[in-house]
Structures are given as C-alpha cells and as structure tokens.
Amino acid sequence: MLEPATQQYWRTVALAFLACEALYHASHFCINKTATSLKATDRATLALKVVNIVHAAISGPVAFYFLFLDGDPDVDHAVQRAIALDSAFAPQLFSAHIAADQALSLTCFTVGFMCWDLYRIQTWAKSGHGEKKLLIVHHVLSILVWPLASLYRVAGPFLLHYEYTELSSPFLQLRWVTQLFFGRGSRADKIMSMLFALSFFVVRSTNVHVVLHAAYFSRQYSLALHPELPLHVRLIGAVTAGLPALLNLFWTLQILKMGKKMLFPKPKKTK
C-alpha cells in the first residue's frame, strides 16, 4: 500500500495529464475552426504549443515565487549560500529538506505534463533527430527522478531551479508560432528569436556555474554527509543533479551559434 503522500502525488500527476489532454483538445477544436489555412499537422502542433506555453507560464513563475518571493527563511538562506558558491553549505541543498514542500507541490504537475508531452510525441514540431532524442531523454529522466526526489524530500532547491528555468520556454514556443504565421527569417521571427535568446541567457545560462558548483559539492553519494538516505537515492542524485545544467550549457552554445548565423549570415551563392 502506497503512503498517502505518494498516492496524492501520483493522483496529481494523473490529473495534470488529463488537464493537458483536455486543453489540447479544446485548443485543437478552436484552431481547426479559425486557422483553416494551416496544414492539419501544423494545427495539431499549434495546439500542442498552447499546452506547452500554459504549462511554462504557470510552473516558471510559481517556482520563481517559491525561490525568491515566498519569504521562507530556509529557502532564502539556501539561495544566498548557493549564489555565494558556499561549498560547505552545498550538501544541505540536497538532504536538509529545504524547499521540500514547495518542490513536492509543484513537480507533480510538471511530471504529469511531461508524461502527456511524450504521449503526444507524434505532434511535436519537426526538429533534428538528435534534438528530439535529447528531449525524450530529458523527459524520461525527469519523470523517473523528480518523483523520487520529491517524495524523499531531497534536492528541493535543485528541483525548484529547474522549474524556474521554464520562464524562458514560452518564448521558444512562440518562436515556432511566429515562424508558422510569418515565415522563417521574417522580422517577427527575428524579434521572437532575440527575445528567446535573451530570456534563455538570463534565466538559464547565467546561473549554470551556480548549479554545477552546488551539484558537485553537495556530494550526494556520500554516506557520511547524507546518512539518512538510502543508497539508490544518493547514487541517482549524484548522477542526475547536474545534468539539466549541463544541458542548459549545451543549449547556450547552440543559441550562440544561432545568433552568429543571424548576425553574420553567409552570403548566398550566385549561380
């Protein structure tokens, strides 16, 4: 028999999944009625983007509130110590149950969304094969690890940070929408691409060193530092805590390449 907190968590995951599916169908219905000039596949992807935007527009601000505005003294102190790159404090970011309640209340919705997003994988926008595989791995790892961390009440600041980085995601989705309606390379596309790059840099790129420092010095694997945690929780934490930050570092490099192409386009070859 599952514990009440575990039951409640997975009930919320299921409800979030159903809410995403309901919003998708409602959006798809409205888009089919109004955007009849679009291809059927584009209408389905646009409905998917609506759900993506709504999720990010909720989870990102809520996580920002929990991290910076909620007034929880433990969270405030943890954020200050993390930004100060305090190596001695770092283990507490993993196992001192800081922000555990906040992470537990928020990650269940995102896990439900990620399950739904994988369920609707056939409606994803076209992208490179490697990019798609990377996103699938991201979703699967999050679905497997976030509930474990939340229910063991560990890594709360890490989980809230990763939710907080969703603040840049609406601009990514809107970039696809502007390309759909105004064309790739249009003025609208360039403006939205710049907004996405700016938001990504501010929300994700500027703090990569903070998260990687915290992930490394929290030494999740250590029995001496985290004696109350079972081995599998410590090992999973050691392997996965810094992965989203590394992914953000990778995407930062990709965005810099995108910016280079926009600012310094290659001259067209003359026949």
Side-chain angles (χ1 to χ4, degrees), residues 87-97 154 214-230 234:
S87 303
F89 185 85
Q92 296 184 52
L93 295 172
F94 181 66
S95 64
H97 308 308
V154 299
Y216 178 78
F217 284 101
S218 58
R219 291 178 285 177
Q220 300 91 343
Y221 55 84
S222 173
L223 178 61
L225 289 173
H226 315 289
E228 75 283 4
L229 296 178
R234 288 186 280 113

Side-chain angles (χ1 to χ4, degrees), residues 48-49 52-53 168-178:
L48 181 92
K49 296 294 183 182
N52 288 336
I53 291 170
S168 67
S169 294
F171 297 101
L172 174 63
Q173 310 303 334
L174 289 171
R175 180 172 177 259
W176 182 89
V177 174
T178 56

Side-chain angles (χ1 to χ4, degrees), residues 70-134:
D70 192 24
D72 185 319
D74 291 333
V75 176
D76 292 344
H77 182 65
V79 170
Q80 292 169 8
R81 291 296 85 212
I83 293 173
L85 304 181
D86 188 336
S87 303
F89 185 85
Q92 296 184 52
L93 295 172
F94 181 66
S95 64
H97 308 308
I98 299 169
D101 291 334
Q102 296 92 323
L104 184 67
S105 67
L106 185 57
T107 59
C108 49
F109 292 100
T110 296
V111 169
F113 161 75
M114 289 182 179
C115 290
W116 174 84
D117 204 30
L118 288 175
Y119 170 71
R120 285 290 175 184
I121 193 171
Q122 296 301 322
T123 60
W124 286 12
K126 292 181 180 179
S127 61
H129 185 61
E131 181 180 337
K132 187 174 183 179
K133 287 175 63 176
L134 196 61

Side-chain angles (χ1 to χ4, degrees), residues 20 36-37 40 98 105 109 125 145-146 149 187 222 231:
C20 290
T36 54
S37 61
I98 299 169
S105 67
F109 292 100
V145 174
W146 286 19
R187 179 177 294 181
S222 173
L231 177 62

